[in-house]
Amino acid sequence: MTSALVSLRGVGVRFGPTPVLTGIDLDLASGEAIGITGPNGAGKSTLLNVISTLLTPTEGSVAVFGGPVRRRDLPQVRRRIGMSGHEPGLYPELTLLENLTLVERLTGEVHMSAMQVLEVVGLAGAAHRRASAASAGMQRRIDLGRLIMTRPQLILLDEAQAGLDSTARDIVDRLIHRTCDAGGGAVVVSHDRSVLTRSLERIVEVQAGGVS
Amino acid sequence: MTKRLVLPALSAVAIVYALWLALVSSPDVFQGDFVRIMYVHVPSSWLAFLAFGVTALGSALWLWRKTIVWDRIAEASAEIGVVFTALSILTGAIWGEPVWGTYWDWGDARMASTALMLFVYLGYLALRRATPDPVARAKRSSILGLIAVVQVPLVYFSVSFWRTLHQGQTVRPDGIQMDGSMVAALLAGLAAFTLLYLALMVERVRLARIEDENMLSDSVTAGTAITAPDLDGIS
Amino acid sequence: MKDGSGFWTQALTIARRDLMIESRGGEVFGVVLPFAAVAVFVVPLATDALATRLDQLALPVFWLVGLLFGMQVALRQTGTENLAQRRTLALLGIDPAARFAGRSLAAAVLTTGVMVVIAPLVVLFYDPDVIPAVGPSLLAIVGFSVGLSMLSTLAGDVTVGLRTRSSLAPLIVAPISVPLIIGASQTLEALIRDRSTMAPALLLTVTVLSLAVTGVLTAPALEDATT
């Protein structure tokens, strides 16, 4: 048996009357990084939310880390999943350092201190700047910094490169490689194919609710 | 088709029969004819509690089984419950004026708690209206349905407690010496209203199913609604 | 600990986060509190200055202001996590019950703060005959704040992200808050009238406990409904 990190079978999602995804089968092996692309509104982000366990599909089954996700295991499973999405979800009143320290305190099992992470993402000089005063690109770097800090086995990136300069994009590439080398996996969503071809083995196209 | 009419027809007959019994039963020694309001008031109150109990049950079963029919049952029952709670308060007030000399009496803990319960379930229905997606709606409202059923008894208890602090039990003509015809009228009212509740529930749940099906029939997959832009249109 | 940090570490960290945000944003003490003070000040102006006995209004006004503005504290904009923040916390594996506890705790601290400032204003403007003992009164205020904060946090979470949230959440809180109002207000009345505070204090305690249990038990389902 291959060690599948993620396995979706016949997954369908419906928001109210509208089907967003239908009959999705998707596998992600250990050490693999895949890209998901498709036009606006095709359901890419929804697919990523299903993989993240945050969204329970209307139909079909989801297995993450080799088995179906049971309710009581949810916190443990989720701790091994890291997602960086459209919105960084920082607290605007807190400084960049405080935003990372919060993660450190809440999880209690980080691999790098908040200050070290700031150095890695090139924001040590802005540690005490409030998130509200940080640019979109800086906030995005902090969001990626959270993944560097908690080292999840499965990383899910939703248009994570948007708004990043080329050096910061290297953070994303390095993060993907390191995660896969350690036996984890990555799913990268982008509507821009050129972003995906940089470092990914396989690209899945989502077209109007299905995959090809 | 005819099968669908059995329950409404049955409840209609029962209501007419109960009303007739209510009108021909003997008047109360103290309250006279005003006691007849009780034959609507008491069954309304009973339905209110039954309905909200079913809402809580539907909420719990939805959370457990995630089957949409439980959410529809919870919703239908809450709507019916609100109507009968309002009816119960209204008939209570109409009865209170001639018998107690006031429409609203703070001395009666039940009146205040029933009014509060009405607000709780108006909030529940407002939450449902505010949530367009059926799954999100079921998730949120089922939790509120459970919070409500835990807290409503505390509301009732606290209002009774507040009431006992302020004055001793007043001697009031609400202890009714019931004869056979009065008991019959009350029981017939309870049975008729329960049948009416069942008939309304069946129809309301069916309506909810039709609403959902109508929504589904003309829906297309989200992505297909978006096409490539017409660049020639930008000139 | 293998499962990350424990319940109380998480809860206290969340509470600390909310209090830090408040210390920077100042929504409660810069906006809600002055608004509450104005409300206390306006009520006498709506009475007949000669016929109405203001001292009799002191306690009802105090608790009503506590209820309405305590709700505002718990539902404050700067204390509401957006979708991205909620998802981040969920994926960090934070116990939803710890999140509930932490957010309620922060709201309770802030609500107690508001009520403690409002109390002397009520005494000043309404001039009640008897002022209840400070220690036991403070306990009643704290109990009320804790219960109201948990209830408002629950209602805030049930309605988070909805366009009608700012009016819908108070509609949900107000009727359910009655046992808290009665428990707390009657405790103070008992202190003033030299009666036993046992029964109302017990009611307040039972209500607070039932809200705590409800909040903890519904937390996972609520997280699922709002991420």
Side-chain angles (χ1 to χ4, degrees):
Chain A
M1 192 192 136
T2 56
S3 49
L5 279 182
V6 178
S7 177
L8 307 188
R9 288 291 169 271
V11 163
V13 173
R14 192 182 273 283
F15 289 136
T18 317
V20 179
L21 295 173
T22 46
I24 304 265
D25 293 324
L26 184 74
D27 288 290
L28 178 73
S30 174
E32 196 181 17
I34 62 169
I36 294 177
T37 186
N40 294 140
K44 304 183 294 292
S45 300
T46 304
L47 181 55
L48 209 60
N49 286 336
V50 169
I51 298 172
S52 75
T53 73
L54 287 174
L55 180 65
T56 310
T58 329
E59 297 144 36
S61 65
V62 181
V64 185
F65 304 126
V69 184
R70 279 174 307 183
R71 186 123 193 189
R72 60 190 162 91
D73 301 334
L74 218 45
Q76 285 85 335
V77 169
R78 285 180 172 171
R79 217 164 278 146
R80 295 158 69 189
I81 301 172
M83 186 147 92
S84 173
H86 295 273
E87 247 191 282
L90 303 184
Y91 299 95
E93 291 87 355
L94 304 185
T95 66
L96 299 183
L97 179 63
E98 284 163 349
N99 267 287
L100 286 172
T101 316
L102 183 68
V103 175
E104 200 174 340
R105 286 176 195 237
L106 282 174
T107 57
E109 46 173 20
V110 292
H111 300 270
M112 219 185 253
S113 75
M115 204 55 217
Q116 286 172 309
V117 172
L118 281 175
E119 270 161 32
V120 171
V121 299
L123 289 175
H128 301 292
R129 190 180 296 188
R130 287 199 192 176
S132 56
S135 72
M138 291 164 84
Q139 296 196 23
R140 188 49 52 84
R141 286 189 193 206
I142 296 294
D143 201 25
L144 292 169
R146 286 202 278 232
L147 302 189
I148 296 169
M149 187 181 226
T150 55
R151 230 179 258 185
Q153 264 176 288
L154 175 62
I155 54 175
L156 310 172
L157 306 174
D158 193 356
E159 309 282 2
Q161 289 94 335
L164 287 181
D165 57 36
S166 61
T167 54
R169 285 183 179 205
D170 291 340
I171 301 174
V172 178
D173 291 346
R174 184 66 70 88
L175 194 60
I176 294 171
H177 279 134
R178 197 204 60 195
T179 306
C180 291
D181 288 348
V187 181
V188 184
V189 162
S190 177
H191 57 268
D192 184 358
R193 221 167 229 283
S194 63
V195 164
L196 299 178
T197 45
R198 269 166 65 121
S199 58
L200 306 175
E201 293 122 56
R202 187 150 65 90
I203 294 178
V204 179
E205 173 108 17
V206 182
Q207 266 307 353
V211 289
S212 57
Chain B
M1 190 61 204
T2 45
K3 238 176 79 182
R4 249 188 61 204
L5 291 176
V6 172
L7 207 49
L10 217 61
S11 55
V13 171
I15 293 272
V16 171
Y17 178 62
L19 282 179
W20 180 72
L21 282 187
L23 290 174
V24 299
S25 62
S26 21
D28 182 62
V29 184
F30 300 108
Q31 303 173 27
D33 282 335
F34 295 119
V35 75
R36 302 187 200 285
I37 298 171
M38 283 289 128
Y39 304 132
V40 177
H41 175 74
V42 174
S44 299
S45 307
W46 145 245
L47 270 207
F49 283 105
L50 172 72
F52 295 141
V54 170
T55 295
L57 191 68
S59 300
L61 286 169
W62 187 88
L63 275 174
W64 183 35
R65 310 299 305 185
K66 298 279 189 307
T67 323
I68 198 73
V69 68
W70 294 120
D71 182 57
R72 291 178 191 150
I73 287 175
E75 175 184 37
S77 201
E79 284 181 3
I80 298 168
V82 161
V83 171
F84 282 96
T85 308
L87 189 63
S88 159
I89 295 169
L90 195 70
T91 48
I94 293 173
W95 175 85
E97 209 283 326
V99 179
W100 288 350
T102 172
Y103 286 109
W104 189 265
D105 183 12
W106 281 106
D108 186 31
R110 274 170 306 184
M111 282 184 91
S113 332
T114 308
L116 287 166
M117 191 168 75
L118 177 69
F119 291 122
V120 170
Y121 286 93
L122 283 176
Y124 170 88
L125 291 179
L127 173 66
R128 296 194 65 99
R129 266 198 313 280
T131 322
D133 177 61
V135 177
R137 183 167 60 219
K139 283 179 177 175
R140 289 172 187 246
S141 58
S142 59
I143 296 166
L144 184 56
L146 287 181
I147 295 173
V149 81
V150 175
Q151 297 302 318
V152 162
L154 266 171
V155 169
Y156 179 81
F157 175 76
S158 66
V159 175
S160 316
F161 167 73
W162 170 80
R163 159 87 195 80
T164 56
L165 277 177
H166 290 254
Q167 58 194 107
Q169 196 69 43
T170 326
V171 181
R172 281 222 175 89
D174 49 2
I176 304 170
Q177 292 295 319
M178 295 180 94
D179 73 9
S181 72
M182 293 165 86
V183 173
L186 190 59
L187 289 179
L190 286 170
F193 271 57
T194 309
L195 272 174
L196 179 63
Y197 168 78
L198 289 176
L200 289 171
M201 277 297 282
V202 168
E203 286 305 302
R204 185 62 187 88
V205 171
R206 198 176 62 88
L207 202 61
R209 200 187 62 230
I210 293 171
E211 277 170 3
D212 287 355
E213 282 168 3
N214 276 351
M215 269 204 321
L216 294 180
S217 64
D218 53 28
S219 62
V220 287
T221 305
T224 55
I226 300 168
T227 55
D230 174 17
L231 297 179
D232 292 339
I234 307 165
S235 52
Chain C
M1 195 192 259
K2 188 81 200 79
D3 289 353
S5 51
F7 179 92
W8 285 111
T9 310
Q10 291 183 355
L12 291 173
T13 306
I14 294 282
R16 189 170 171 273
R17 172 203 72 182
D18 283 0
L19 294 175
M20 272 169 84
I21 290 173
E22 169 55 29
S23 75
R24 312 268 167 84
E27 190 176 347
V28 173
F29 290 98
V31 184
V32 177
L33 178 61
F35 188 14
V38 171
V40 169
F41 192 75
V42 161
V43 173
L45 301 175
T47 62
D48 184 318
L50 295 176
T52 312
R53 284 191 55 193
L54 280 183
D55 60 313
Q56 290 189 336
L57 290 180
L59 280 173
V61 165
F62 178 66
W63 291 114
L64 186 67
V65 166
L67 171 67
L68 296 179
F69 293 89
M71 273 194 252
Q72 288 227 330
V73 168
L75 297 168
R76 71 199 179 282
Q77 198 62 42
T78 50
T80 304
E81 297 155 340
N82 64 31
L83 181 63
Q85 290 161 348
R86 293 197 300 274
R87 287 186 162 174
T88 301
L89 291 177
L91 283 179
L92 287 173
I94 307 307
D95 183 348
R99 231 184 94 232
F100 165 75
R103 294 175 59 230
S104 303
L105 179 62
V109 169
L110 296 172
T111 303
T112 303
V114 168
M115 294 186 75
V116 164
V117 176
I118 289 298
L121 292 182
V122 172
V123 172
L124 180 71
F125 295 137
Y126 295 73
D127 194 23
D129 295 338
V130 187
I131 298 167
V134 173
S137 303
L138 194 61
L139 278 180
I141 291 173
V142 169
F144 174 78
S145 299
V146 170
L148 183 64
S149 298
M150 288 193 293
L151 181 55
S152 304
T153 300
L154 273 174
D157 272 0
V158 164
T159 55
V160 76
L162 302 179
R163 289 175 58 81
T164 50
R165 181 185 191 244
S166 57
S167 46
L168 181 51
L171 170 62
I172 291 171
V173 173
I176 301 181
S177 70
V178 164
L180 292 170
I181 283 276
I182 292 179
S185 65
Q186 296 309 320
T187 304
L188 241 57
E189 292 283 359
L191 286 170
I192 289 170
R193 293 174 211 296
D194 222 10
R195 288 194 301 247
S196 163
T197 54
M198 179 77 166
L202 189 65
L203 173 66
L204 187 59
T205 310
V206 167
T207 309
V208 167
L209 287 177
S210 90
L211 284 167
V213 171
T214 309
V216 166
L217 290 183
T218 54
L222 209 43
E223 181 185 73
D224 178 46
T226 53
T227 51

